[in-house]
Amino acid sequence: MKRTELGRTGTTVGQVALGCMLMGTYTDEPTSYRMLDSFLDAGGDFLDTANCYCWWHSGGAGGDSEELLGRWLARTGHRDRVFLATKVGGIVTDVPAALVDGKADWDVAARHFEGTGADVVRHGIDASLRRLGTDHVDLYYVHVDDLTTPLEETLEALDGIVRAGKVRYIGWSNVRTWRLERIRQLADRHGWAAPVAVQQQHSYLRPAPGVDRTGIAGPELLDYLTHHDDLSLVAYSPILQGIYDDPARRARHGMWTTYTGPDSEARLAAVGKVAADLGVTGNQVALAWLLHQRSPRVIPIAGTRTWGQFEAFLPALGVELGVEHLELLAGAGA
């Protein structure tokens, strides 16, 4: 696996992060360990989790993924081989209210996020460190941008845990561009730790006209990150839960409604042509396209639930897109 710099920190990480969200709940422990071991064997080191993963499968407060990673790290002694990222702000304080017939109601969940007040940040990192069985994490994200807490309070608390050695770098997720700029200005003014990464949903397909979601990297944010390369874009759902290869899956998948339309149909056709030319899958082409991006550079998160999905993602690391294929993909759309 190739490596890439995180922002302009001088720290390099594997070009793809492994999403550990479902480890310990949907994905059982032996399979999770197998994925983690194989990811390191393939040259990967960037592991992504959060303190709330994943309450919607466990019915609890979360922490299952962090606990599993803690057991794996204790068993293997690999803490010095991984770049460990976790998050604060996404715990739901009333899980029963947010679960309807066993499924997450995200509108309700959004009204019960823990927020990012100073006490939440300070207690949150300590709880995450206990579950992970380590004395620090490498990257600590604000998981859900909290519009009710003064940014100064959140940033000062984050700076405090960086100075205490509990966190190396901070990041932000699901954030508007204007807020990101405000965060950076305040950090610069007060000498506080500033974000080096922003984690948003991002893929080859573009959202349909009129879709405006905080968590999706839109044109404005992509342009901002192109001109501020001290921030890395870490892309979650880079293959949109596998909708590039299976029309039937797209038709029944809730995520497809965000992207459906002529633009996506044209871009799916381009993916299909490139995949046929290279003898690979559409999902692998979409992931390879992200790895070829330079404006801005992208670190995709491969969130694999099963061993089969893990095996399917690895070949994308070796997919080389030539100039003609990159031009075809870049020019496709309505």
Side-chain angles (χ1 to χ4, degrees):
M1 186 182 297
K2 297 177 182 177
R3 300 188 68 76
T4 187
E5 186 178 7
L6 185 72
R8 288 203 300 263
T9 63
T11 297
T12 63
V13 295
Q15 65 183 150
V16 176
L18 182 63
C20 304
M21 180 174 70
L22 300 177
M23 293 182 180
T25 50
Y26 186 99
T27 308
D28 64 33
E29 195 149 314
T31 304
S32 299
Y33 284 1
R34 188 182 183 192
M35 289 180 185
L36 291 161
D37 292 339
S38 298
F39 184 67
L40 263 64
D41 289 343
D45 63 350
F46 193 165
L47 305 181
D48 182 86
T49 187
N51 64 346
C52 64
Y53 291 160
C54 62
W55 63 266
W56 55 97
H57 274 292
S58 68
D64 308 270
S65 172
E66 289 183 332
E67 289 175 352
L68 181 140
L69 287 173
R71 293 191 294 273
W72 175 75
L73 289 170
R75 181 177 71 91
T76 62
H78 286 334
R79 179 63 187 92
D80 61 345
R81 291 185 58 190
V82 302
F83 185 89
L84 189 57
T86 192
K87 311 178 187 75
V88 67
I91 283 179
V92 173
T93 58
D94 189 349
V95 169
L99 283 176
V100 179
D101 297 327
K103 295 183 179 180
D105 184 324
W106 291 104
D107 290 332
V108 174
R111 296 196 293 270
H112 295 282
F113 286 137
E114 63 180 335
T116 54
D119 285 343
V120 172
V121 170
R122 288 191 287 263
H123 295 320
I125 187 60
D126 288 342
S128 287
L129 293 178
R130 284 195 299 272
R131 288 188 289 265
L132 291 163
T134 185
D135 62 355
H136 76 283
V137 296
D138 299 291
L139 179 60
Y140 198 51
Y141 291 99
V142 167
H143 198 169
V144 181
D145 192 29
D146 177 7
L147 300 177
T148 64
T149 300
L151 279 172
E152 292 88 344
E153 179 180 342
T154 302
L155 281 164
E156 187 173 22
L158 289 168
D159 184 71
I161 61 177
V162 171
R163 292 178 184 275
K166 298 177 181 181
V167 170
R168 290 177 66 196
Y169 306 112
I170 68 165
W172 230 270
S173 184
N174 301 302
V175 63
R176 296 284 188 182
T177 309
W178 69 267
R179 286 275 290 180
L180 189 58
E181 174 62 15
R182 178 65 172 156
I183 289 161
R184 285 160 55 87
Q185 289 179 1
L186 286 169
D188 182 64
R189 181 184 305 166
H190 294 280
W192 293 328
V196 302
V198 58
Q199 187 176 135
Q200 303 284 111
Q201 183 176 307
H202 182 52
S203 188
Y204 170 67
L205 294 187
R206 298 179 289 216
V211 172
D212 181 23
R213 296 189 181 176
T214 302
I216 297 178
E220 182 177 67
L221 180 61
L222 295 174
D223 183 65
Y224 183 89
L225 294 175
T226 297
H227 291 90
H228 297 84
D229 64 357
D230 55 328
L231 278 165
S232 287
L233 174 57
V234 182
Y236 69 81
S237 296
I239 59 172
L240 302 175
Q241 299 184 21
I243 67 175
Y244 284 91
D245 286 320
D246 188 346
R249 181 177 177 82
R250 286 198 292 274
R252 65 176 183 268
H253 204 295
M255 189 171 283
W256 176 236
T257 59
T258 301
Y259 295 88
T260 184
D263 186 73
S264 287
E265 293 296 344
R267 287 172 84 81
L268 283 169
V271 167
K273 183 180 188 311
V274 173
D277 286 351
L278 298 178
V280 298
T281 69
N283 288 329
Q284 289 166 353
V285 169
L287 190 57
W289 180 83
L290 289 173
L291 293 175
H292 279 75
Q293 298 310 296
R294 297 295 179 267
S295 299
R297 289 177 297 136
V298 181
I299 302 172
I301 300 174
T304 56
R305 292 178 295 166
T306 66
W307 178 249
Q309 290 176 352
F310 181 86
E311 285 188 306
F313 120 75
L314 282 179
L317 299 176
V319 175
E320 290 293 335
L321 300 175
V323 173
E324 289 185 4
H325 286 144
L326 287 170
E327 289 179 348
L328 173 66
L329 291 167

